Amino acid sequence: MPPARSWRSYPQTYRLEAGRCTSCGAVYFPPRLICSQCKGREFETFSMKRTGKVLTHTVIRTPSAAFAGDAPFAVAIVEMDDGVRLTTQVVDADFEEIRIGLPVKLEFRRVYSEGDAGVINYGYKAVPVRS
Ligand SMILES: [Zn+2]
């Protein structure tokens, strides 16, 4: 990811900041400039909950080049407890363990490294919540 784009994504990547439409309450992650529900342009920023559940999932066996060394890996659409939905890797879990409704929490992990200098990009990944 180019440095400028990476820098602009810091609030989402490191503080998990989402946007809530002040007109209709729709939530977006990453935040948007215009609400797709009501066309509103006013948003309030909030840090989303770290816990949620798996809505659907799959296993990636043929990833893009940046993730080639990680295959196979699990990816899920996760709905956080405040309604935000995001796509993320699911780690620290056997593929058979991942199911719809599985409680997860977001943790910061290494996502990928890039370039000859091996710049490491961090981000969030979902980890099962085990009681
Ligand atoms: Zn709205």
Side-chain angles (χ1 to χ4, degrees), residues 21-26 28 35-40 43:
C21 176
T22 56
S23 299
C24 75
Y28 297 98
C35 177
S36 64
Q37 302 295 311
C38 74
K39 308 300 181 216
F43 293 87

Side-chain angles (χ1 to χ4, degrees), residues 17-57:
E17 286 185 358
R20 180 184 291 114
C21 176
T22 56
S23 299
C24 75
V27 292
Y28 297 98
F29 182 81
R32 294 185 182 180
L33 295 176
I34 300 174
C35 177
S36 64
Q37 302 295 311
C38 74
K39 308 300 181 216
R41 291 171 182 263
E42 300 287 324
F43 293 87
E44 62 181 358
T45 299
F46 68 100
S47 290
M48 53 187 205
K49 296 259 195 299
R50 263 55 170 177
T51 54
K53 63 179 189 296
V54 170
L55 287 184
T56 188
H57 58 93

Side-chain angles (χ1 to χ4, degrees), residues 67-90:
F67 297 95
D70 297 336
F73 57 87
V75 170
I77 296 176
V78 173
E79 184 173 78
M80 308 315 294
D81 290 340
D82 45 22
V84 177
R85 292 182 178 184
L86 53 89
T87 303
T88 182
Q89 276 190 42
V90 183

Side-chain angles (χ1 to χ4, degrees), residues 5 17 49 56 61 78 80 98-99 105 110 119:
R5 193 169 141 213
E17 286 185 358
K49 296 259 195 299
T56 188
R61 298 182 189 281
V78 173
M80 308 315 294
I98 302 168
R99 56 179 165 73
K105 62 182 176 183
R110 184 191 69 84
V119 176

